[in-house]
Amino acid sequence: MTLHSDDQLKDDSYATGYPTDSIDWLRRLIGFDTVSRHSNLALIEDVQAYCEQLGLTVDLTFNDAKDKANLFVTVPAGANADEVNHGLVLSGHTDVVPVEGQDWTTAPFTATIRGDKLYGRGACDMKGFIACALTLLPQAVKLSHAGQLRRPLHLALSFDEEVGCLGAPLLLADLKARGITPDYCIVGEPTNMTMVVAHKGVAVYRCRVHGQSAHSSLTTQGVNAISYASRLIGYVDELADEISGRDDNDEWFDVPYSTLSVGTIQGGTATNIVPNLCEFTFDYRNLPHMTQDDILVPIKAKVAELSAQMQARAADTGIELLQMEAVPAMTDSDSAELQALIAALTDDDTRHKVAYATEGGQFTNSGIPTIICGPGSIEQAHKADEFVALSEMARCDAFLQKLLASATSQS
Ligand SMILES: [Zn+2]
């Protein structure tokens, strides 16, 4: 069956006014400016209307401000097209990173094809995959109507992935509440259509060191916030060194151990004032077998020790440690069956592990074995002139065609 057969266009599983191929879908999706700080509702409503034309019912979960939504939709399976549980989820985030300060040679929110590449914000990260998945839907619906879909196919679109994977947990909680337990998930982040079976987790912390001001000639009357911050930073670096030297490293990762890195620091107002405030941030990227507690327990102990020293000198001083962001690592322990399926579909059983975090960790954490596999390269993500190679879109289309075929009773 081809996607553009006249047959299909006459079928009721065709949505009027919507693209019928993945490139046109990608153009349409890039046209929505879904930078994370903006609402994604225009895109979500457009996809919702498309799904409804196909006879599907979408479930939306909103942020508190109700200006962003996740969308979850199921193409049911079974002879009566009424099975909605189990099955496979195709997952993508709808938000994209900003374009300010980047030197674009094309309009970022207008898809531009030059040569064998399509340029635009989100082209590879990750509207390309969503475009391919949306293109597949009418065909899946047609098979569903014919009673030929053996297991449901779900599509999950999230918001606020790029600012800490804030949307997906709401969608996952909603699924749990509705008793829907998908068997597998494919997150279509750009991997050049190779199989990523695990990634590190990431947690971001902000540390506020509250000291006490004094004239710099009277240091004994002050508590130097920068000095105490520097002791804590020194400790974070020592801990990073200790972790890197452990014998449980995973050589599949580019950096085979968990990392800690101080990223920003602010403090002080003038050279002749003992500073009363110093703030710094650091991030922790943990191997799947390590948890945030592995660093939090020792760091909190150090914070308590330093705070006690500060408070012995002035009561109102001390150190606050705030978690800003936490995305769990994605483990590969439960996904052997899924990996075998992906290896068959891509004709490539090479497994990769990556350092960047995705929503995949949240899916695995809620008990859904997940792999990352999508068109385009992470090398082009977040950059000026982001693009996806047209050949990658074609590979993703072919991959999803095979995936659908594997889920039909004719196969
Ligand atoms: Zn992404």
Side-chain angles (χ1 to χ4, degrees), residues 34-38 68 93 95-98 159-167 202 204 324-327 359 362 382:
T34 52
V35 170
S36 309
R37 67 174 179 271
H38 301 151
K68 295 175 186 175
H93 62 81
D95 61 320
V96 295
V97 295
F159 64 86
D160 278 357
E161 191 270 354
E162 297 288 5
V163 288
C165 296
L166 305 179
V202 59
V204 178
M324 310 303 291
E325 208 177 279
V327 181
E359 292 168 341
Q362 295 168 327
H382 299 200

Side-chain angles (χ1 to χ4, degrees), residues 124-343:
C124 71
D125 186 15
M126 57 177 291
K127 291 177 171 176
F129 179 80
I130 296 174
C132 295
L134 289 170
T135 305
L136 189 76
L137 275 191
Q139 203 179 343
V141 167
K142 192 173 177 181
L143 290 165
S144 171
H145 288 173
Q148 290 173 351
L149 204 55
R150 280 191 292 117
R151 49 176 193 263
L153 184 72
H154 313 277
L155 178 66
L157 303 183
S158 66
F159 64 86
D160 278 357
E161 191 270 354
E162 297 288 5
V163 288
C165 296
L166 305 179
L170 301 176
L171 183 149
L172 288 163
D174 184 57
L175 289 188
K176 200 155 267 182
R178 290 163 54 212
I180 295 184
T181 51
D183 297 322
Y184 305 120
C185 175
I186 297 172
V187 176
E189 291 281 355
T191 67
N192 287 316
M193 294 310 297
T194 62
M195 180 175 12
V196 168
V197 298
H199 64 64
K200 290 184 180 178
V202 59
V204 178
Y205 299 92
R206 176 179 295 277
C207 209
R208 271 197 200 118
V209 182
H210 300 276
Q212 179 163 293
S213 291
H215 191 279
S216 64
S217 64
L218 302 168
T219 52
T220 52
Q221 294 177 15
V223 179
N224 192 315
I226 292 178
S227 296
Y228 278 96
S230 71
R231 289 183 209 184
L232 189 55
I233 289 170
Y235 181 73
V236 167
D237 287 343
E238 273 172 37
L239 189 60
D241 280 349
E242 188 267 309
I243 289 171
S244 71
R246 291 185 186 174
D247 57 9
D248 59 353
N249 292 344
D250 185 341
E251 300 297 332
W252 279 35
F253 288 95
D254 283 347
V255 178
Y257 43 82
S258 303
T259 57
L260 278 160
S261 174
V262 177
T264 66
I265 186 164
Q266 295 94 32
T269 47
T271 308
N272 60 358
I273 301 174
V274 173
N276 69 346
L277 184 65
C278 181
E279 287 192 21
F280 65 94
T281 58
F282 63 95
D283 79 3
Y284 173 54
R285 291 175 185 267
N286 62 291
L287 290 174
H289 71 271
M290 285 184 70
T291 69
Q292 273 135 32
D293 274 353
D294 289 326
I295 59 131
L296 272 185
V297 170
I299 287 177
K300 280 181 176 168
K302 191 71 183 176
V303 164
E305 177 195 323
L306 292 173
S307 290
Q309 289 176 19
M310 296 171 77
Q311 282 154 11
R313 297 176 57 188
D316 288 345
T317 60
I319 302 173
E320 277 180 280
L321 183 64
L322 307 161
Q323 186 178 73
M324 310 303 291
E325 208 177 279
V327 181
M330 188 176 93
T331 60
D332 62 335
S333 52
D334 299 322
S335 61
E337 201 181 348
L338 175 61
Q339 290 177 27
L341 172 69
I342 302 302

